């Protein structure tokens, strides 16, 4: 998560492969003054936490697009309302 100098979260993201590259890509356009990160045992676990933070902190953060599921992860976001799930994942209607 990127934060402003005042300690306000400004961006939520994850990297399934290279956090350094991801941070360098976002350091200029997201205006984060510092960051924190968590290490997760799998990309699915990281996705679940990213989704939870996205739903909790929107619209406070600059993220406008829902986090992308990891490759080969068929389960929709556990935090989306059913109508949001249908709109995001039409193949996986519940």
């Amino acid at each position: 998560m990127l934060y402003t100098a005042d300690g306000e979260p400004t961006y939520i993201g994850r990297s399934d492969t290279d956090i350094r590259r991801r941070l360098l890509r976002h350091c200029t356009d997201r205006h984060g003054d510092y960051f924190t990160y968590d290490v997760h045992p799998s990309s699915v676990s990281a996705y679940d936490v990213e989704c939870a933070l996205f739903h909790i902190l929107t619209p406070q953060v600059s993220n406008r697009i829902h986090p992308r599921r990891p490759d080969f992860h068929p389960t929709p976001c556990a935090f989306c309302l059913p109508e949001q799930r249908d709109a995001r994942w039409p193949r996986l209607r519940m």
Side-chain angles (χ1 to χ4, degrees), residues 29-65:
D29 62 344
R30 300 294 177 186
H31 307 293
D33 293 299
Y34 65 96
F35 69 94
T36 59
Y37 69 96
D38 295 331
V39 176
H40 294 272
S42 69
S43 58
V44 172
S45 173
Y47 168 72
D48 290 340
V49 171
E50 182 185 22
C51 287
L53 291 171
F54 173 82
H55 285 280
I56 291 168
L57 296 174
T58 299
Q60 182 180 355
V61 293
S62 63
N63 301 63
R64 295 296 170 251
I65 299 172

Side-chain angles (χ1 to χ4, degrees), residues 3 28 35 42 61 67 70 75 77-78 81 89:
Y3 295 88
T28 57
F35 69 94
S42 69
V61 293
T75 307
C77 171
L81 298 173
W89 298 285

Side-chain angles (χ1 to χ4, degrees), residues 65-85:
I65 299 172
H66 192 278
R68 188 178 61 82
R69 287 181 289 160
D71 293 338
F72 308 108
H73 179 57
T75 307
C77 171
F79 303 97
C80 283
L81 298 173
E83 59 273 12
Q84 292 170 318
R85 285 189 196 134

